[in-house]
Amino acid sequence: MSKKYIVLDRDGVINVDLFDYVLKNEDFKFENGSLEAILKLYENDYEIIIATNQKCINLNLITADGIKQINDFWIGKVKEKGGDVLHVGVCPHRDEENCDCRKPKTGLLIAAEKKLNITLEGCYFIGDKLSDLECAIAHGCKPILVKTGYGTRTYESTFPEESLVFENLKSAVDWIVS
Protein backbone atom coordinates (compact mmCIF):
# COMPACT_ATOMS: atom_id res chain seq x y z
CA MET A 1 0.00 0.00 0.00
CA SER A 2 1.42 3.37 -0.97
CA LYS A 3 1.60 6.03 1.68
CA LYS A 4 -0.88 8.89 1.71
CA TYR A 5 0.41 12.39 2.29
CA ILE A 6 -1.38 15.58 3.24
CA VAL A 7 -0.03 19.12 3.50
CA LEU A 8 -1.31 21.48 6.16
CA ASP A 9 -0.66 25.16 6.71
CA ARG A 10 -0.15 25.94 10.41
CA ASP A 11 -1.45 29.34 11.56
CA GLY A 12 -5.19 29.64 11.05
CA VAL A 13 -5.56 25.95 10.21
CA ILE A 14 -4.01 24.00 13.07
CA ASN A 15 -3.78 26.83 15.58
CA VAL A 16 -5.80 29.97 16.19
CA ASP A 17 -4.32 32.73 14.06
CA LEU A 18 -3.49 35.69 16.27
CA PHE A 19 -3.37 37.91 13.15
CA ASP A 20 0.08 38.67 14.47
CA TYR A 21 2.68 36.02 15.32
CA VAL A 22 2.82 33.04 17.63
CA LEU A 23 6.08 33.85 19.41
CA LYS A 24 5.89 31.57 22.45
CA ASN A 25 4.32 28.25 23.38
CA GLU A 26 1.68 29.94 25.53
CA ASP A 27 0.38 31.75 22.42
CA PHE A 28 -0.24 28.46 20.57
CA LYS A 29 -3.90 27.40 20.86
CA PHE A 30 -5.30 24.61 18.71
CA GLU A 31 -8.23 25.59 16.49
CA ASN A 32 -11.44 23.89 17.65
CA GLY A 33 -11.22 20.23 16.58
CA SER A 34 -7.81 20.53 14.89
CA LEU A 35 -5.90 18.29 17.30
CA GLU A 36 -8.57 15.60 16.84
CA ALA A 37 -8.37 16.10 13.06
CA ILE A 38 -4.60 15.57 13.03
CA LEU A 39 -5.03 12.42 15.11
CA LYS A 40 -7.73 11.18 12.73
CA LEU A 41 -5.42 11.73 9.75
CA TYR A 42 -2.65 9.83 11.50
CA GLU A 43 -5.01 6.98 12.47
CA ASN A 44 -6.07 6.75 8.82
CA ASP A 45 -2.47 6.33 7.64
CA TYR A 46 -1.86 9.87 6.41
CA GLU A 47 1.67 11.23 6.69
CA ILE A 48 1.37 14.88 7.70
CA ILE A 49 3.55 17.58 6.15
CA ILE A 50 3.41 21.15 7.47
CA ALA A 51 4.23 24.07 5.15
CA THR A 52 4.26 27.39 6.98
CA ASN A 53 5.38 30.92 6.16
CA GLN A 54 7.02 32.46 9.24
CA LYS A 55 8.44 35.81 8.16
CA CYS A 56 8.58 36.75 11.85
CA ILE A 57 12.00 35.04 11.78
CA ASN A 58 13.49 37.47 9.26
CA LEU A 59 11.66 40.35 10.93
CA ASN A 60 13.84 39.44 13.95
CA LEU A 61 10.80 38.89 16.19
CA ILE A 62 11.87 35.30 16.92
CA THR A 63 14.71 33.00 15.94
CA ALA A 64 14.40 29.95 13.71
CA ASP A 65 15.10 27.89 16.83
CA GLY A 66 12.24 29.72 18.61
CA ILE A 67 9.84 28.66 15.83
CA LYS A 68 11.21 25.10 16.05
CA GLN A 69 10.53 25.10 19.81
CA ILE A 70 6.91 26.17 19.21
CA ASN A 71 6.50 23.47 16.55
CA ASP A 72 8.07 20.90 18.89
CA PHE A 73 5.62 22.04 21.60
CA TRP A 74 2.44 21.47 19.59
CA ILE A 75 3.74 18.34 17.87
CA GLY A 76 4.51 17.06 21.38
CA LYS A 77 0.81 17.50 22.19
CA VAL A 78 -0.03 15.46 19.06
CA LYS A 79 2.43 12.73 20.10
CA GLU A 80 0.98 12.63 23.65
CA LYS A 81 -2.34 11.64 22.05
CA GLY A 82 -0.76 8.96 19.85
CA GLY A 83 -0.27 10.88 16.58
CA ASP A 84 2.70 12.35 14.76
CA VAL A 85 3.77 14.84 12.12
CA LEU A 86 6.25 13.64 9.50
CA HIS A 87 7.82 16.96 8.45
CA VAL A 88 7.64 20.69 9.12
CA GLY A 89 8.81 23.09 6.42
CA VAL A 90 9.27 26.72 7.45
CA CYS A 91 9.87 29.72 5.21
CA PRO A 92 11.56 32.48 7.26
CA HIS A 93 11.57 35.05 4.46
CA ARG A 94 9.76 38.35 4.04
CA ASP A 95 7.73 38.88 0.84
CA GLU A 96 10.28 41.28 -0.63
CA GLU A 97 13.09 38.71 -0.33
CA ASN A 98 11.49 36.90 -3.29
CA CYS A 99 12.62 33.43 -2.16
CA ASP A 100 11.48 30.16 -3.68
CA CYS A 101 10.02 28.81 -0.43
CA ARG A 102 7.47 31.46 0.53
CA LYS A 103 3.99 30.32 -0.42
CA PRO A 104 2.48 30.67 -3.00
CA LYS A 105 5.81 29.44 -4.42
CA THR A 106 6.36 25.72 -4.02
CA GLY A 107 9.85 25.53 -2.50
CA LEU A 108 8.64 24.18 0.84
CA LEU A 109 6.91 21.30 -0.95
CA ILE A 110 9.90 20.62 -3.21
CA ALA A 111 12.24 20.59 -0.20
CA ALA A 112 9.95 18.14 1.65
CA GLU A 113 9.82 15.86 -1.39
CA LYS A 114 13.61 15.85 -1.73
CA LYS A 115 14.23 15.29 1.99
CA LEU A 116 11.66 12.51 2.31
CA ASN A 117 12.06 11.03 -1.20
CA ILE A 118 8.33 11.30 -1.88
CA THR A 119 5.94 13.10 -4.20
CA LEU A 120 3.19 15.39 -2.94
CA GLU A 121 1.51 15.73 -6.31
CA GLY A 122 -2.14 14.75 -6.05
CA CYS A 123 -2.34 15.03 -2.26
CA TYR A 124 -4.63 17.38 -0.36
CA PHE A 125 -3.25 20.72 0.81
CA ILE A 126 -5.33 22.49 3.46
CA GLY A 127 -4.89 26.19 4.09
CA ASP A 128 -6.68 29.40 5.02
CA LYS A 129 -5.02 31.85 2.63
CA LEU A 130 -4.99 32.38 -1.11
CA SER A 131 -1.22 31.74 -1.04
CA ASP A 132 -1.88 28.21 0.32
CA LEU A 133 -4.39 27.44 -2.43
CA GLU A 134 -2.14 28.86 -5.14
CA CYS A 135 0.82 26.85 -3.83
CA ALA A 136 -1.30 23.70 -3.82
CA ILE A 137 -2.41 24.19 -7.42
CA ALA A 138 1.05 25.17 -8.65
CA HIS A 139 2.44 21.93 -7.20
CA GLY A 140 -0.37 19.69 -8.44
CA CYS A 141 -2.00 19.23 -5.03
CA LYS A 142 -5.75 19.34 -4.33
CA PRO A 143 -6.54 22.67 -2.61
CA ILE A 144 -8.82 22.85 0.40
CA LEU A 145 -9.82 26.14 2.01
CA VAL A 146 -10.87 26.22 5.64
CA LYS A 147 -12.83 29.18 7.01
CA THR A 148 -10.71 29.51 10.14
CA GLY A 149 -7.90 32.06 10.46
CA TYR A 150 -7.91 34.17 7.31
CA GLY A 151 -10.19 31.62 5.63
CA THR A 152 -13.41 33.62 5.85
CA ARG A 153 -11.69 36.61 4.23
CA THR A 154 -10.26 34.34 1.55
CA TYR A 155 -13.68 32.78 0.98
CA GLU A 156 -15.29 36.20 0.59
CA SER A 157 -12.73 37.24 -2.03
CA THR A 158 -11.60 35.55 -5.22
CA PHE A 159 -10.03 32.13 -4.83
CA PRO A 160 -9.43 29.17 -7.19
CA GLU A 161 -12.75 27.56 -8.08
CA GLU A 162 -11.32 24.04 -7.86
CA SER A 163 -10.79 24.53 -4.12
CA LEU A 164 -12.99 22.55 -1.78
CA VAL A 165 -14.26 24.62 1.17
CA PHE A 166 -14.89 23.50 4.75
CA GLU A 167 -15.64 25.26 8.03
CA ASN A 168 -12.46 24.02 9.70
CA LEU A 169 -9.74 21.37 9.65
CA LYS A 170 -11.94 18.86 11.47
CA SER A 171 -14.76 19.03 8.92
CA ALA A 172 -12.24 18.81 6.04
CA VAL A 173 -10.58 15.75 7.56
CA ASP A 174 -13.92 14.10 8.32
CA TRP A 175 -14.73 14.43 4.61
CA ILE A 176 -11.30 13.25 3.44
CA VAL A 177 -11.31 10.05 5.49
CA SER A 178 -14.98 9.18 4.86
Side-chain angles (χ1 to χ4, degrees), residues 9 27 31 34 67 75 77 100 124-125 130-131 147 150 154 159:
D9 175 45
D27 293 339
E31 273 287 351
S34 69
I67 290 292
I75 292 169
K77 299 287 184 197
D100 290 328
Y124 291 105
F125 184 138
L130 180 60
S131 60
K147 292 183 179 179
Y150 283 90
T154 304
F159 65 93

Side-chain angles (χ1 to χ4, degrees), residues 54-55 58 91-95 97-102:
Q54 294 293 333
K55 72 179 175 185
N58 281 13
C91 171
H93 303 106
R94 299 181 318 273
D95 302 11
E97 291 179 80
N98 200 27
C99 64
D100 290 328
C101 57
R102 187 166 180 79

Side-chain angles (χ1 to χ4, degrees), residues 23-143:
L23 300 176
K24 53 189 188 270
N25 292 349
E26 301 81 58
D27 293 339
F28 189 97
K29 303 282 185 268
F30 283 98
E31 273 287 351
N32 191 26
S34 69
L35 178 56
E36 295 79 7
I38 291 168
L39 296 171
K40 189 170 196 172
L41 286 169
Y42 188 76
E43 290 161 4
N44 283 275
D45 302 316
Y46 278 88
E47 298 282 359
I48 301 163
I49 311 284
I50 307 301
T52 181
N53 289 344
Q54 294 293 333
K55 72 179 175 185
C56 53
I57 296 170
N58 281 13
L59 290 172
N60 296 315
L61 299 175
I62 190 170
T63 63
D65 189 57
I67 290 292
K68 182 184 180 313
Q69 288 175 21
I70 293 166
N71 287 328
D72 290 347
F73 168 77
W74 73 262
I75 292 169
K77 299 287 184 197
V78 171
K79 288 180 177 180
E80 285 172 16
K81 301 282 187 185
D84 204 0
V85 171
L86 179 63
H87 176 77
V88 178
V90 176
C91 171
H93 303 106
R94 299 181 318 273
D95 302 11
E96 59 271 16
E97 291 179 80
N98 200 27
C99 64
D100 290 328
C101 57
R102 187 166 180 79
K103 297 176 288 179
K105 292 185 180 172
T106 61
L108 289 176
L109 304 184
I110 293 167
E113 288 177 327
K114 285 181 182 168
K115 180 179 180 188
L116 302 168
N117 195 29
I118 62 170
T119 181
L120 295 173
E121 192 174 324
C123 77
Y124 291 105
F125 184 138
I126 303 176
D128 66 321
K129 293 183 180 156
L130 180 60
S131 60
D132 297 318
L133 304 175
E134 289 174 339
C135 178
I137 292 165
H139 201 74
C141 299
K142 299 177 218 167

